[in-house]
Amino acid sequence: MTDMLLNRGKYNFDDFTLINYQRLMCLAIEKGYLFSDYSTGNLSVTREIVWRHDVEFSVHRALKMAKIEYDLGLKAHYYIQLHSEFYNTFEKEIYVMIKQIIELGHYIGLHFDAHFWEVKDISQLEECLSKDTEILEDLLGVRVNKFSFHNTSPELLEMNDLYYSGLLNVYAKEIRDKYRYCTDSTGIWRYERLEDVLKDDSIQYLQVLTHDGMWQDEPIAPRQRVLRCINGRAEKLSMIYDQHLLMLDQENVDE
């Protein structure tokens, strides 16, 4: 218990609730940030923020976040995986929820898993990006013109041109040089605490990366947040199996 309490303070568990998520977005508005799509082109804008979600663990949780943003009149970026171990973009329920995120007006990008394709060079990167982009566009009925790398590595970050296969690379050197970067990767603030960054009046351009499953209803440890997504998925699959046998009037034999 003592270790849990120490970690709660050390790693700011209380930051990662949906209530605090809404508060942080309100703070960004209060500090004068314009929520952008990387291309405002508006010279009168004094502060610009790109708020990005790499959808990793739970589309259910991502949709909750999308609704918070919509209620605040904001547009964020949702980068969707095709090769996730945690959710299936082609599953009906998941597909419907992603479509709801689109209907709320948010931007959609590709969260590209170069490791799935074992990408070694630029030529292979562009070929595989084109494959995944075409599939995602056909499935969702939207134009996809941006991508983020899933599980970045030094080798991937060296592929830092602004565009590949006609898609904006949000890890491009030009973007990384322009925007201050704040992320909750692995469920902790990797570099700086977001609240501190938002309160820093010297920052003009900011890119925030959040991961859906890391934001829960109450403060818990990062691993427990991910396990909650995993267990929720398992319970849903169990329910689907039980309901399927019930519908077919088949025996559901257990121990």
Side-chain angles (χ1 to χ4, degrees), residues 5 9 42 51 53 78 83 97 104 125 134 144 183 198 208 212 220 233 243 247:
L5 291 175
N42 187 345
W51 203 294
H53 301 262
Y78 285 81
H83 309 290
M97 287 189 291
L104 291 172
L125 170 66
E134 183 177 357
V144 174
T183 177
L198 291 173
V208 176
D212 42 276
I220 53 176
R233 175 77 171 158
Q243 289 179 340
M247 180 182 66

Side-chain angles (χ1 to χ4, degrees), residues 80 82 89 109-110 132-141 144:
I80 308 297
L82 288 179
T89 307
L110 170 67
D132 279 3
T133 302
E134 183 177 357
I135 292 170
L136 191 61
E137 288 184 332
D138 286 348
L139 177 66
L140 299 179
V144 174

Side-chain angles (χ1 to χ4, degrees), residues 194-243:
L194 179 55
E195 180 159 357
D196 296 335
V197 173
L198 291 173
K199 289 179 178 178
D200 185 343
D201 292 332
S202 70
I203 299 173
Q204 183 176 5
Y205 301 105
L206 177 61
Q207 180 177 194
V208 176
L209 171 59
T210 59
H211 296 81
D212 42 276
M214 295 306 176
W215 298 81
Q216 297 288 333
D217 296 325
E218 68 279 339
I220 53 176
R223 187 170 187 271
Q224 296 306 313
R225 297 175 217 157
V226 175
L227 286 177
R228 180 168 290 185
C229 297
I230 294 170
N231 292 335
R233 175 77 171 158
E235 289 171 6
K236 181 64 182 293
L237 289 174
S238 297
M239 184 182 69
I240 290 173
Y241 176 77
D242 291 340
Q243 289 179 340

Side-chain angles (χ1 to χ4, degrees), residues 52-67:
R52 183 177 115 228
H53 301 262
D54 284 350
V55 182
E56 297 271 5
F57 305 105
S58 170
V59 178
H60 297 74
R61 187 65 42 174
L63 179 57
K64 287 186 176 183
M65 300 172 85
K67 289 178 178 178

